[in-house]
Amino acid sequence: MPDYLKKLFTINDKIVTYRHVNGLYQARFRRDGYNIEIASKSFDITRKEKR
């Protein structure tokens, strides 16, 4: 699988990109009127769905 596809996950039918820098997972979503940025040391917390 290409590297750019490995750095994706989905939440609520939205595709979110992330990166791993200096021990932090950083995820961003800037589409459809949303401007969301999050960071965490744990990938599970980064991709955890909030309702």
Side-chain angles (χ1 to χ4, degrees), residues 6 8-9 18 25 40-48:
K6 290 180 184 178
L8 299 174
F9 61 90
Y18 73 93
Y25 289 95
S40 176
K41 290 185 178 182
S42 169
F43 181 70
D44 292 331
I45 293 172
T46 302
R47 68 181 190 149
K48 192 173 196 178

Side-chain angles (χ1 to χ4, degrees), residues 2-45:
D3 285 339
Y4 70 91
L5 290 179
K6 290 180 184 178
K7 304 279 184 173
L8 299 174
F9 61 90
T10 61
I11 294 178
N12 294 335
D13 298 328
K14 308 275 191 235
I15 297 173
V16 179
T17 59
Y18 73 93
R19 63 185 182 168
H20 187 255
V21 179
N22 295 331
L24 287 175
Y25 289 95
Q26 301 171 343
R28 291 183 179 168
F29 185 82
R30 292 181 179 177
R31 289 183 292 282
D32 303 330
Y34 294 99
N35 185 9
I36 301 169
E37 295 183 34
I38 59 171
S40 176
K41 290 185 178 182
S42 169
F43 181 70
D44 292 331
I45 293 172

